[in-house]
Amino acid sequence: MRSNQLLVAAAALVMAGCTATKKNDQQEPIIATIGSQPIYTSEFQYVYEKNNGGNEDAYTRQSVSEYLDLYTRFKLKVMEGESRGLDTTAAFKRELEGYKEQLAQPYLTEKSVTDQLVREAYERLKQEVNASHILLGLPNDPSPQDTLAAYNQAVELRKRLEAGEPFDKLAREFSHDPSAAENGGNLGYFTAMQMVYRFEDAAYKTPVGQISQPVRSRFGYHLIKVHDKRAAQGEIKVAHIMVRATPGMPKADSLAAKQRVDAIYKRVQRNENWDRLAAEFSEDANSAANGGELPWFGTGRMIPSFEEVAFGLKKEGEVAPPVLTPYGWHIIKLLGKQALPSFEDMEQNLRNKIAKDSRSELNKAAFLKRIKSENNFSEDATVKAAALSKATDELLQGKWDFDAADKTLKNTLFTIQGKPYTVTDFYTYVKAEQRPRMAGTPQHHMNSLYDNFVQKSLLTYERANLENKYPDYRMLVREYHDGILLFQLMDEKVWSKAVEDTVGLKAYFDQNRDKYQWKERAHATVISAANAELLAKAQQQLSERRYEVRNGKPADITFETNSATPDQANIARLNELADRLSNNPNLKLEVYGHADSREAAGKRDLSAERAKAIAAYLTAHGVAADQITTKALGKTKQVASDNTETGRRRNRRVSFTLYSPELSVLADNLNAGNPLGVQIAEKRFQKGENKAVDAVQWEKGTYNTELNGRQYLVIVHDVLAPAPKQLSEVRGQVTADYQNHLDEQWVKQLQEKNPVSINQTEVDKIIRK
């Protein structure tokens, strides 16, 4: 239910567009008034054009009038929420702040730099690079001395490489990349967006056969040797037939899935119609009806095992044997290959990736430089030098503090748009952010903390002033403000109320029974079989309605000599069996008691005692007595060739057979040799629900038909005349209708509280436009 509610709230946000009430002079035209609150024509026109401007019928009287009605209803609800103070609660403010943080991101970036990076990434995606590297690692926050030492080592290694020493040999000896010991530093082929940006940049700029200068990344210094460059693979389009199989599923189910996909693959190899097989058997509901067809994708877009097989296909129409992924088994058919999509098609996806990629550091640096200028950042170099000089060894231990009586604490380090940031502000930040350090000097870490403090202060100031600086951001924030209010009110007045008010729901259903009617239906059993022989076998067994459950057959329970009490080792298995039976009352269990011929002679029937003991245990643990039948099979003479205690113990046991009336069990049994052999369904069908049922006469009787190469038996048990539906049968639909009813009632109440007045003259102006 909540997912539907979120969709409605999201729709309300789109509809709202911009709800900021304009503070304007009295000459501003008003298109509507809600109570005493005006809706200005410019406000409504902005919202309307934002959401309807591209429609062909955008400026018809009907379109404008209907949207104005929706908009005034929306405003009524928002005004109600504000009048109740719902936007002043801590929970509301916390949620709105979370959205503001997300909305602010596009305004806290340097668009021109992003544009360049997006274009560069797209051009590089056209090519793949094969390269090796040597990594000389650095700690997370290296000191200048550590950095210089790593750089100098990289320079020396490069000289040795240039002199002819084998790259792989030096990589194995010096590289801090753990994989270098095995691969000699070879990374294989890669393309843009797969490596950290500085590494990628150097790899693409280094000619084939040459070695880069030392390249610094967050991991350390790299030396990169480029072996080859080739055109990228582009994108591929495939269709697939999927049989679900998930990690951790029961072994019997996993085996059944494998048998099923192998049977389908054999039919594919016989050149049976692919689209028909996908529609009939694929368990990917999103693609089955479309021949299993998937959207175009490139490297990294699918599960690696799926991609490897898909890209390995060479000719259109070629089909690969089944491949297992975490989602199940796939039979993949190649439909086509194409080059990289156009820049326009990939642009937004690249922007999203770059925002999370190491390239973002370039953007961040340019952005900070700009807002420093725009916000008149001014720094006092003398005060800064004095503040930084107070770094001591305690900073390396994470225990640094400052003297609160120090008179210099009030000195201004820098200003942002005239707002002072003092030494106290900086030292407070240092105390909160300091961490124990294993390397570096106090001065180095104090300098890093100062740079971070400046960046944080600039970003905080910019974020706090976004609404004043960018009107469109201010409008977006208002949209979310109103949307959160609307969600809270709709949940209270409509969504949750419709679910919880069972009396009201029942009354609404009773008053509107005419809306909920069954059309003519056929109560039928439909058997679909691969051939006439299987169909006849299914028909023969259908009437029994007592089918042995062969999948997951319960294991035998063994006993000690002369004992009818199950030992502790078997209790867990009995508990599982009890849960299985109590959770499915349709299951019936036959319990067979066995005894060993060597056990105590006499009138005591241990086989009966054992069967009854197991039955008693199961009934005591929630299984209905009528689900269990016991049978004593007496003493079993031990086979002469088997005189071990293990053999005798096999005779001192209880065995089980499970039965079910469910047609799915009959289908499973018939499908033992062919997972696709038989499918059986029994229900009440309306016209259009089942092609086989639609194809036969709707009168009591048994009918045979053939569709798509399969044999069908349709048994029409009864034809039901149109009849009213029960509430239990249509609760979801009735609940949705009841929600609409509650919403209409609520809007009428709000309109009575704050009457809505429409200025038709202003409406006509928009229509004429």
Side-chain angles (χ1 to χ4, degrees), residues 570-580 617-618 621:
N570 288 311
I571 293 299
R573 285 155 55 190
L574 284 173
N575 290 339
E576 290 178 8
L577 181 57
D579 288 343
R580 185 175 178 183
Y617 184 92
L618 294 173
H621 286 77

Side-chain angles (χ1 to χ4, degrees), residues 690-726:
N690 186 286
K691 292 180 180 179
V693 176
D694 290 346
V696 304
Q697 192 171 355
W698 276 38
E699 292 182 2
K700 285 186 179 181
T702 301
Y703 305 91
N704 290 85
T705 187
E706 182 178 346
L707 292 170
N708 296 327
R710 288 180 72 84
Q711 304 295 318
Y712 283 85
L713 177 74
V714 179
I715 304 172
V716 179
H717 306 292
D718 198 5
V719 177
L720 308 175
K725 295 179 180 179
Q726 298 300 312

Side-chain angles (χ1 to χ4, degrees), residues 31 75 441 447 469 571 636-637:
I31 196 169
K75 292 284 285 184
T441 65
N447 271 291
K469 194 170 183 178
I571 293 299
T636 304
K637 186 176 181 180

Side-chain angles (χ1 to χ4, degrees), residues 101-147:
E101 183 71 22
Q102 297 175 35
L103 296 171
Q105 294 311 309
Y107 299 90
L108 300 175
T109 186
E110 196 64 26
K111 187 176 182 302
S112 62
V113 174
T114 300
D115 290 345
Q116 293 173 11
L117 291 171
V118 169
R119 176 58 72 175
E120 177 187 71
Y122 178 75
E123 293 302 319
R124 287 180 176 175
L125 283 170
K126 297 176 181 178
Q127 193 176 52
E128 295 175 348
V129 178
N130 186 299
S132 296
H133 82 134
I134 295 172
L135 169 64
L136 302 174
L138 285 170
N140 288 336
D141 190 13
S143 67
Q145 294 85 348
D146 290 339
T147 303

Side-chain angles (χ1 to χ4, degrees), residues 650-665:
R650 284 202 297 270
N651 294 334
R652 304 192 297 269
R653 63 192 170 93
V654 162
S655 59
F656 306 95
T657 302
L658 273 174
Y659 294 95
S660 171
E662 296 173 6
L663 294 176
S664 60
V665 176

Side-chain angles (χ1 to χ4, degrees), residues 457-728:
S457 300
L458 281 164
L459 287 170
T460 301
Y461 184 88
E462 183 73 6
R463 186 179 285 108
N465 287 275
L466 286 177
E467 291 188 49
N468 298 326
K469 194 170 183 178
Y470 301 104
D472 51 344
Y473 173 75
R474 181 170 65 251
M475 294 173 184
L476 282 171
V477 171
R478 183 66 192 191
E479 287 181 28
Y480 277 79
H481 170 280
D482 293 351
I484 298 169
L485 272 183
L486 180 66
F487 183 90
Q488 291 182 358
L489 286 166
M490 289 292 288
D491 189 51
E492 173 191 335
K493 295 289 188 178
V494 177
W495 298 326
S496 292
K497 184 176 180 180
V499 174
E500 296 165 3
D501 181 15
T502 55
V503 175
L505 182 70
K506 179 66 166 56
Y508 176 83
F509 174 72
D510 290 338
Q511 293 166 10
N512 296 273
R513 278 184 173 273
D514 291 345
K515 292 172 59 178
Y516 310 105
Q517 298 285 321
W518 288 114
K519 298 177 182 179
E520 185 181 40
R521 290 170 295 162
H523 176 205
T525 299
V526 180
I527 305 176
S528 164
N531 54 59
E533 182 182 354
L534 270 175
L535 189 65
K537 190 180 293 187
Q539 184 177 5
Q540 180 183 357
Q541 299 180 31
L542 187 65
S543 60
E544 297 176 13
R545 298 314 292 252
R546 187 174 186 269
Y547 315 115
E548 182 180 345
V549 179
R550 296 168 186 165
N551 287 335
K553 178 179 171 64
D556 293 353
I557 301 295
T558 57
F559 295 81
E560 296 297 328
T561 304
N562 296 323
S563 171
T565 303
D567 58 32
Q568 196 63 35
N570 288 311
I571 293 299
R573 285 155 55 190
L574 284 173
N575 290 339
E576 290 178 8
L577 181 57
D579 288 343
R580 185 175 178 183
L581 288 163
S582 58
N583 290 330
N584 187 351
N586 288 329
L587 287 175
K588 304 295 181 183
L589 180 70
E590 288 193 355
V591 183
Y592 308 102
H594 305 258
D596 180 19
S597 61
R598 297 192 182 192
E599 291 185 291
K603 295 182 179 180
R604 185 181 183 189
D605 187 351
L606 282 168
S607 66
E609 288 185 35
R610 286 166 178 163
K612 291 176 181 178
I614 296 299
Y617 184 92
L618 294 173
T619 53
H621 286 77
V623 181
D626 63 0
Q627 287 182 261
I628 306 173
T629 302
T630 61
K631 291 185 179 181
L633 299 184
K635 295 183 178 181
T636 304
K637 186 176 181 180
Q638 189 170 305
V639 178
S641 62
D642 183 6
N643 57 6
T644 64
E645 172 57 25
T646 300
R648 291 193 292 272
R649 190 175 180 84
R650 284 202 297 270
N651 294 334
R652 304 192 297 269
R653 63 192 170 93
V654 162
S655 59
F656 306 95
T657 302
L658 273 174
Y659 294 95
S660 171
E662 296 173 6
L663 294 176
S664 60
V665 176
L666 172 59
D668 288 343
N669 293 343
L670 292 169
N671 289 337
N674 177 5
L676 310 178
V678 174
Q679 294 172 320
I680 308 175
E682 180 185 356
K683 61 176 288 188
R684 293 173 176 178
F685 297 91
Q686 292 190 108
K687 288 287 187 183
E689 283 190 61
N690 186 286
K691 292 180 180 179
V693 176
D694 290 346
V696 304
Q697 192 171 355
W698 276 38
E699 292 182 2
K700 285 186 179 181
T702 301
Y703 305 91
N704 290 85
T705 187
E706 182 178 346
L707 292 170
N708 296 327
R710 288 180 72 84
Q711 304 295 318
Y712 283 85
L713 177 74
V714 179
I715 304 172
V716 179
H717 306 292
D718 198 5
V719 177
L720 308 175
K725 295 179 180 179
Q726 298 300 312
L727 177 57
S728 59

